[in-house]
Amino acid sequence: MGASLSSRIEWVSASDTGGKLAFSKSNEGVLMEVLKFVEGLARDHPREATVVFQRPFCWKSSLDFSVFESLAAGEEYTASGTGLVSAAKMNNGDPFLSISKVQGGLEVKAFRFKDLQKILSLSGEQKLKQVQLCLEANPDPVAVIMGPAFSSSVGKSSGNSNNTLLEIHEQLAREKVHGNESEELDSSFRLLLLLNSLDLKLLHSSVKEMGKEIRLSPKGVEIEVELLKKFSGPKENSCLEKIEYTSQMVFSNGCQAPPWRQVLGDICYITVKPLDGEEACVTASTEGFFINKGMKANGEVDYDRAGDHYSTLVALLKAKSKQFAENIVKQEFSYASVEQESSGAQQQQVEQQVRQQRMQDRMLEGVDAAAEVANQTKQSKEKALASPESKAVQRKSVGSERKRFTGSTFETAKMIAQPSDKWKSLSASDDLFTTAPQSPPKMVKTRVSTRVITPPSAGSRPTKSGSSVKSRHNRDSFDDLDDSGSSSEASEEEDQQDRRPESNADLPSEYWQIQKLIKYLKAGNQTATVVALCSLMDVDLKLDASQLAIRDSGGLDLLINLLETNDVKCKIGALRILREISQKTQTRRAIVDLGGLPMVVQILSSDNRELKCLAAETIANVAKFRRARRIVRLNGGIKKLVYLTGNPGRPGSPVSGERSDLDIAKSAAMGLWSCSRSKHNKFALLKAGAVPLLAKLLQCEQEDVMIPVVGTLQECASERVYQELIQSEGMVQHLVRGLKTENKELQKHCASTIFKCAESDSTRTLVREFGGLEPLAALLTKTDNKDLLSAATGAVWKCSKSPKNVAVFKTLRVIENLVSLLSNQPEEVLVNVVGALGECAAQDPDNRVSIRKAGGVIPLVQLLTGTNQALLINTTKAIGACALDTESMTVIDKQDGVRLLWSLLKSPNTEVQSSASWAICPCIENAKDAGELVRSFVGGLELIVGLLKSSDEEVLASVCAAIAKIAKDEENLGVFTDHGVVPLLAKLTHITSDSLRKHLTDAIARCCMWRNNRVAFGQAMAVAPLVSYLQSTDPQVHRSTACALHQLSKDPDNCITMHEAGVVQPLLKMVGSTDPILQEAAAGCISNIRQLALANEKAKFK
């Protein structure tokens, strides 16, 4: 037991630091599993968490002692000057947990999982680091917990690691038989079983990791290098300038590396010179390819690794050379052509004649087969009769088709159904599309080497690298780098495995019907193709089995290939099917992998209106993930879609089914909506002039047209430039109009767009003027639709930043509706609700009373125990605003809200720290006996003084404001002084931010009232910098600075320093201010300076 844990951990070599965990993904996984085990054990098995270890876990922690001081707030732990110990002790008197202050950190000793869990819970983001330090100090944790008998080394040497487990089980059974049940022994046995389950879990994950390892062979490296040599040199469209081995010596095992390097896994060394970069030396090892440190001066290779590992050489070169990544795509299907060139001309001619004869018979059979399918499917037949395309097909009989399928007519059919270059290079075109010549071929009796060509599928067809699926994933990751981090979606779609039935008997009838139709698509002529496409449309293509059948039979490749034909009917049929099946994640990714998206983008320039609509709608479905959106942009799809949104004036024809300009604009807007989820595409939209066209299209009265337009604006509104354009183009009025409709989806997108744009005061004003506040308030009652509720509450929050909007919300009783949403709502709704309550409470005292009367203070305090950072920030602001009301402050105090606010000062998030500090200020000011309340928090004053060491200006400003409030109590001021508040405040006097200066001088003025603090500020060189504050343009800074200087001037040395710094002239001007406090402080400071001068003059004449 414990062997898996010991074997999974990777240690740094002994020549380094020794006893340290290596920085690896495997170690990170082990640490995460151990962390989850400890946290889950204390939560789900509390009795086992109290089992006492045989030896304590001892390690040296890097955390600050203040992190653990909150433990002393209860009765379980006791803090002292030297550290912290648990109140409960073992039989020998040792505490279960002890944290001692030592030089360079803390020494932790823990005898129970219960105490370990508490340490980890207080560690915050340092949890994994503490687990690492603990394992480094205790490399055999199971032996520490259960004793030496469970040591992994003992288990390995004896081979009976489970004997002790059996012995404990037998002992426990004997005790129960004799009626002497031992609860301690029972808990230990249960803990042992839990540790054993952890060991097995680590063993399974280790096996999985070993299964994923890929080891290269010399033969595989040679094949890839020789392949890349064909794409190098001075020829046109080459990928590399040169690629060659550094040595021509080859050993018997196929390796070219020296024997002493082969032991380490090296295979060979390759020199590569890209077209757009410097020459690099690449090491091919069994673990993959990586760039080494190049060639030394003596001509030898510097073997040290200088880059990351890659599974293929192509993947490495793609990551290092942009031009290689672009050119290798153009070479993708030339592998088959290289193979074909090596064959003899006579053999090729024989093969072609045989294939042509075979396909002539198959093409004739395909027409009969297509007619049979048309007769079998009733719905397909009705559709064929209704559409003009199918009527044209129906006019041709099967018999006449056979007679006309010869001579020049055959050549015409061949031209229409011409296969693409991709099919030719894959040698699939001969089997699928090549037809018989005018005269029967002459059979030649010779031996022909035939090749079996399997139907390509989404999972087996060669990709743009012409190799395996793994190479395709390497390309995906490289492509994603260009378009990273700009999606409104929470996460990109992940590859999913096909959900295949366990046996063919589980497949529905649609699967086999589609397989049959795809077979007719492969072998049929133009007429059979159109009929088969119509029959496919009659099947429910949204079913997983239907799409699985299309991919398995190679139908996706055929549909994409049809997009390159010149026949409009085939294109329309193929696009209609692609539009339906691309709603599934796997299918849309397969379309991109097969290179179908650029063809769809190209169809946007077609003259056929139906093709434009279908292409745009297909793009809208496919461009749901990052790489697809990038492909659309790089192929000019953004500009084409933007162009299609303009001039929606020409009507369609209901008789012929022709699409109108408005239909085209709607489809184009749907495509732009999907593409606008990427940041690069947002700016491409802007560059293409999309905003004026979208503003014009937004004026449409049709809701189905407005939805994609507003959806596009919602995605783009995350950028500041779009927020300004939405306002300047007059779109706010139409967004408000969308709020007043009954379409919930349109309401949601309009509210979300307003939420993003309402950061501007002018936009908030327009929303109010156009009557948008009333529908937003009405949407707060739509609690059944969480997405709509989230958007509406977000818009209300942002609009509440304007006082006039708050007054309107007050009349609409929005406060009561918001308070009712403080429970049983998702966090994204709570963030917006609490933010809106905070804004309303901060701007109107009546709203604070309304929140209290509606019962909103208690749930606000309860939200302080959460972990969502955005929610904590808004909650602290709302509680700070409510604390300005005396009665609300009483409720906050009863609910222990001040203590919860104080605990948030330990948060690693600086925004949470600053918002909690700001909220503490009104709580201290309005609480009864605030001084005693603050002193009741153990270590609270030391904690807030420690925040003066923060580097965040907002945290410093809020902490200084809190110190100014707390220091009004004389005892608290004395404690502040003991904790060194004076030198910390003095260090901040050189900061130039006016927002910090105001609160800093307030804190200094208040701290001067304790004993010799005035002298201490002078000795800390804090007086002279304050004089420069009087040059600020902020009158609030003048007021607080004058008060601080007045207090400091009561020390003679400070008066001299002020006078030398030129304080008199600015103060003389401020004596004439209309602010009485500023007048009094300035006059008092000048009076103290003058009195000192007079005393000096009198002393001279004595």
Side-chain angles (χ1 to χ4, degrees), residues 860-893:
L860 282 175
V861 174
Q862 293 173 348
L863 290 176
L864 291 175
T865 59
T867 57
N868 186 297
Q869 302 298 299
L871 181 57
L872 287 175
I873 292 170
N874 285 355
T875 303
T876 51
K877 291 179 180 179
I879 291 178
C882 291
L884 295 172
D885 177 61
T886 307
E887 296 185 26
S888 297
M889 181 59 220
T890 304
V891 179
I892 294 172
D893 192 12

Short mmCIF file of all heavy atoms in Angstrom, two decimals, residues 860-893:
data_model
loop_
_atom_site.label_atom_id
_atom_site.label_comp_id
_atom_site.label_asym_id
_atom_site.label_seq_id
_atom_site.Cartn_x
_atom_site.Cartn_y
_atom_site.Cartn_z
N LEU A 860 -28.04 39.74 2.11
CA LEU A 860 -26.80 40.35 1.62
C LEU A 860 -25.62 39.93 2.50
O LEU A 860 -24.54 39.60 2.00
CB LEU A 860 -26.93 41.87 1.60
CG LEU A 860 -27.70 42.49 0.44
CD1 LEU A 860 -27.85 43.99 0.63
CD2 LEU A 860 -27.03 42.21 -0.89
N VAL A 861 -25.83 39.93 3.82
CA VAL A 861 -24.76 39.52 4.73
C VAL A 861 -24.43 38.04 4.52
O VAL A 861 -23.26 37.64 4.54
CB VAL A 861 -25.17 39.79 6.19
CG1 VAL A 861 -24.13 39.23 7.16
CG2 VAL A 861 -25.36 41.28 6.42
N GLN A 862 -25.42 37.23 4.27
CA GLN A 862 -25.18 35.80 4.06
C GLN A 862 -24.36 35.53 2.80
O GLN A 862 -23.65 34.54 2.72
CB GLN A 862 -26.51 35.06 3.99
CG GLN A 862 -27.28 35.05 5.31
CD GLN A 862 -28.67 34.46 5.17
OE1 GLN A 862 -29.16 34.25 4.05
NE2 GLN A 862 -29.33 34.22 6.30
N LEU A 863 -24.46 36.43 1.82
CA LEU A 863 -23.68 36.25 0.59
C LEU A 863 -22.19 36.48 0.79
O LEU A 863 -21.38 36.14 -0.08
CB LEU A 863 -24.20 37.21 -0.50
CG LEU A 863 -25.59 36.89 -1.07
CD1 LEU A 863 -26.01 37.97 -2.05
CD2 LEU A 863 -25.62 35.53 -1.75
N LEU A 864 -21.80 37.04 1.94
CA LEU A 864 -20.38 37.28 2.21
C LEU A 864 -19.61 35.99 2.44
O LEU A 864 -18.38 36.00 2.45
CB LEU A 864 -20.22 38.19 3.43
CG LEU A 864 -20.65 39.65 3.27
CD1 LEU A 864 -20.55 40.38 4.59
CD2 LEU A 864 -19.83 40.35 2.21
N THR A 865 -20.31 34.89 2.63
CA THR A 865 -19.64 33.61 2.86
C THR A 865 -19.35 32.86 1.57
O THR A 865 -18.81 31.75 1.61
CB THR A 865 -20.51 32.72 3.77
OG1 THR A 865 -21.78 32.50 3.13
CG2 THR A 865 -20.73 33.39 5.12
N GLY A 866 -19.70 33.43 0.42
CA GLY A 866 -19.49 32.75 -0.86
C GLY A 866 -18.04 32.85 -1.32
O GLY A 866 -17.16 33.41 -0.64
N THR A 867 -17.79 32.32 -2.51
CA THR A 867 -16.43 32.32 -3.08
C THR A 867 -16.35 33.04 -4.42
O THR A 867 -15.25 33.26 -4.91
CB THR A 867 -15.95 30.87 -3.28
OG1 THR A 867 -16.88 30.17 -4.12
CG2 THR A 867 -15.84 30.15 -1.95
N ASN A 868 -17.49 33.39 -5.01
CA ASN A 868 -17.47 34.10 -6.29
C ASN A 868 -16.92 35.51 -6.08
O ASN A 868 -17.48 36.31 -5.32
CB ASN A 868 -18.90 34.16 -6.86
CG ASN A 868 -18.94 34.74 -8.25
OD1 ASN A 868 -18.58 35.89 -8.47
ND2 ASN A 868 -19.38 33.94 -9.21
N GLN A 869 -15.82 35.82 -6.75
CA GLN A 869 -15.12 37.08 -6.50
C GLN A 869 -15.96 38.29 -6.91
O GLN A 869 -16.04 39.28 -6.18
CB GLN A 869 -13.78 37.09 -7.25
CG GLN A 869 -12.86 35.94 -6.86
CD GLN A 869 -12.47 35.97 -5.41
OE1 GLN A 869 -11.86 36.92 -4.93
NE2 GLN A 869 -12.82 34.92 -4.67
N ALA A 870 -16.58 38.22 -8.09
CA ALA A 870 -17.41 39.34 -8.54
C ALA A 870 -18.59 39.56 -7.61
O ALA A 870 -18.97 40.70 -7.31
CB ALA A 870 -17.90 39.08 -9.97
N LEU A 871 -19.18 38.47 -7.12
CA LEU A 871 -20.30 38.59 -6.20
C LEU A 871 -19.85 39.18 -4.87
O LEU A 871 -20.56 40.01 -4.27
CB LEU A 871 -20.94 37.22 -5.99
CG LEU A 871 -22.16 37.16 -5.05
CD1 LEU A 871 -23.25 38.09 -5.55
CD2 LEU A 871 -22.67 35.73 -4.95
N LEU A 872 -18.67 38.80 -4.39
CA LEU A 872 -18.16 39.36 -3.13
C LEU A 872 -17.90 40.86 -3.26
O LEU A 872 -18.20 41.64 -2.34
CB LEU A 872 -16.88 38.64 -2.73
CG LEU A 872 -17.03 37.21 -2.19
CD1 LEU A 872 -15.66 36.59 -1.96
CD2 LEU A 872 -17.84 37.21 -0.92
N ILE A 873 -17.38 41.29 -4.40
CA ILE A 873 -17.10 42.72 -4.60
C ILE A 873 -18.40 43.52 -4.56
O ILE A 873 -18.51 44.54 -3.87
CB ILE A 873 -16.36 42.92 -5.93
CG1 ILE A 873 -14.95 42.31 -5.86
CG2 ILE A 873 -16.26 44.40 -6.28
CD1 ILE A 873 -14.24 42.25 -7.18
N ASN A 874 -19.40 43.07 -5.30
CA ASN A 874 -20.68 43.79 -5.31
C ASN A 874 -21.38 43.72 -3.96
O ASN A 874 -22.03 44.69 -3.54
CB ASN A 874 -21.58 43.22 -6.40
CG ASN A 874 -21.16 43.65 -7.79
OD1 ASN A 874 -20.23 44.45 -7.95
ND2 ASN A 874 -21.79 43.12 -8.81
N THR A 875 -21.27 42.59 -3.26
CA THR A 875 -21.94 42.45 -1.97
C THR A 875 -21.34 43.40 -0.94
O THR A 875 -22.06 44.04 -0.16
CB THR A 875 -21.83 41.00 -1.47
OG1 THR A 875 -22.39 40.13 -2.45
CG2 THR A 875 -22.59 40.82 -0.17
N THR A 876 -20.01 43.50 -0.91
CA THR A 876 -19.38 44.42 0.04
C THR A 876 -19.77 45.87 -0.24
O THR A 876 -19.99 46.66 0.69
CB THR A 876 -17.86 44.26 -0.01
OG1 THR A 876 -17.42 44.36 -1.38
CG2 THR A 876 -17.43 42.92 0.53
N LYS A 877 -19.87 46.22 -1.52
CA LYS A 877 -20.29 47.58 -1.85
C LYS A 877 -21.73 47.83 -1.40
O LYS A 877 -22.04 48.91 -0.87
CB LYS A 877 -20.17 47.81 -3.36
CG LYS A 877 -18.73 47.86 -3.86
CD LYS A 877 -18.68 48.07 -5.37
CE LYS A 877 -17.24 48.11 -5.87
NZ LYS A 877 -17.18 48.28 -7.35
N ALA A 878 -22.60 46.85 -1.61
CA ALA A 878 -24.00 47.01 -1.20
C ALA A 878 -24.12 47.12 0.32
O ALA A 878 -24.87 47.95 0.84
CB ALA A 878 -24.84 45.84 -1.72
N ILE A 879 -23.39 46.29 1.07
CA ILE A 879 -23.44 46.35 2.53
C ILE A 879 -22.86 47.66 3.04
O ILE A 879 -23.37 48.27 3.99
CB ILE A 879 -22.70 45.14 3.12
CG1 ILE A 879 -23.49 43.87 2.84
CG2 ILE A 879 -22.47 45.31 4.62
CD1 ILE A 879 -22.85 42.61 3.34
N GLY A 880 -21.79 48.15 2.40
CA GLY A 880 -21.24 49.44 2.78
C GLY A 880 -22.23 50.57 2.60
O GLY A 880 -22.32 51.49 3.42
N ALA A 881 -23.01 50.51 1.50
CA ALA A 881 -24.02 51.53 1.27
C ALA A 881 -25.16 51.41 2.28
O ALA A 881 -25.67 52.42 2.79
CB ALA A 881 -24.56 51.43 -0.15
N CYS A 882 -25.58 50.18 2.59
CA CYS A 882 -26.66 49.99 3.57
C CYS A 882 -26.22 50.39 4.97
O CYS A 882 -27.05 50.80 5.79
CB CYS A 882 -27.11 48.53 3.57
SG CYS A 882 -27.97 48.01 2.06
N ALA A 883 -24.93 50.28 5.27
CA ALA A 883 -24.44 50.61 6.61
C ALA A 883 -24.55 52.09 6.92
O ALA A 883 -24.42 52.49 8.09
CB ALA A 883 -22.99 50.15 6.76
N LEU A 884 -24.77 52.91 5.91
CA LEU A 884 -24.97 54.34 6.16
C LEU A 884 -26.29 54.58 6.89
O LEU A 884 -26.48 55.64 7.49
CB LEU A 884 -24.95 55.10 4.83
CG LEU A 884 -23.61 55.08 4.09
CD1 LEU A 884 -23.77 55.71 2.71
CD2 LEU A 884 -22.55 55.83 4.88
N ASP A 885 -27.21 53.62 6.82
CA ASP A 885 -28.46 53.69 7.57
C ASP A 885 -28.24 53.04 8.94
O ASP A 885 -27.81 51.89 9.03
CB ASP A 885 -29.57 52.97 6.80
CG ASP A 885 -30.88 52.97 7.56
OD1 ASP A 885 -31.42 54.05 7.84
OD2 ASP A 885 -31.36 51.86 7.89
N THR A 886 -28.56 53.78 10.04
CA THR A 886 -28.26 53.30 11.39
C THR A 886 -28.97 52.00 11.71
O THR A 886 -28.38 51.06 12.26
CB THR A 886 -28.65 54.38 12.42
OG1 THR A 886 -28.02 55.61 12.06
CG2 THR A 886 -28.21 53.98 13.81
N GLU A 887 -30.25 51.90 11.36
CA GLU A 887 -31.00 50.68 11.67
C GLU A 887 -30.50 49.50 10.84
O GLU A 887 -30.47 48.36 11.31
CB GLU A 887 -32.49 50.92 11.42
CG GLU A 887 -33.10 51.98 12.33
CD GLU A 887 -34.61 52.09 12.13
OE1 GLU A 887 -35.22 51.10 11.70
OE2 GLU A 887 -35.15 53.18 12.39
N SER A 888 -30.12 49.76 9.59
CA SER A 888 -29.55 48.67 8.78
C SER A 888 -28.23 48.21 9.37
O SER A 888 -27.92 47.02 9.36
CB SER A 888 -29.35 49.14 7.34
OG SER A 888 -30.57 49.47 6.73
N MET A 889 -27.47 49.16 9.93
CA MET A 889 -26.19 48.79 10.55
C MET A 889 -26.41 47.90 11.77
O MET A 889 -25.62 46.98 12.03
CB MET A 889 -25.43 50.07 10.95
CG MET A 889 -24.07 49.80 11.57
SD MET A 889 -23.02 48.86 10.46
CE MET A 889 -22.22 47.74 11.60
N THR A 890 -27.48 48.12 12.48
CA THR A 890 -27.80 47.26 13.62
C THR A 890 -28.05 45.83 13.15
O THR A 890 -27.59 44.86 13.78
CB THR A 890 -29.03 47.80 14.35
OG1 THR A 890 -28.79 49.16 14.74
CG2 THR A 890 -29.33 46.97 15.58
N VAL A 891 -28.77 45.68 12.03
CA VAL A 891 -29.02 44.34 11.49
C VAL A 891 -27.72 43.69 11.03
O VAL A 891 -27.48 42.51 11.27
CB VAL A 891 -30.02 44.42 10.32
CG1 VAL A 891 -30.27 43.04 9.73
CG2 VAL A 891 -31.33 45.05 10.79
N ILE A 892 -26.86 44.47 10.39
CA ILE A 892 -25.56 43.94 9.92
C ILE A 892 -24.73 43.46 11.10
O ILE A 892 -24.11 42.39 11.05
CB ILE A 892 -24.81 45.02 9.12
CG1 ILE A 892 -25.56 45.34 7.82
CG2 ILE A 892 -23.39 44.58 8.81
CD1 ILE A 892 -24.99 46.53 7.06
N ASP A 893 -24.73 44.23 12.20
CA ASP A 893 -23.96 43.85 13.38
C ASP A 893 -24.51 42.57 14.00
O ASP A 893 -23.75 41.67 14.40
CB ASP A 893 -23.99 45.00 14.38
CG ASP A 893 -22.97 44.81 15.50
OD1 ASP A 893 -22.11 43.91 15.36
OD2 ASP A 893 -23.04 45.54 16.50
#
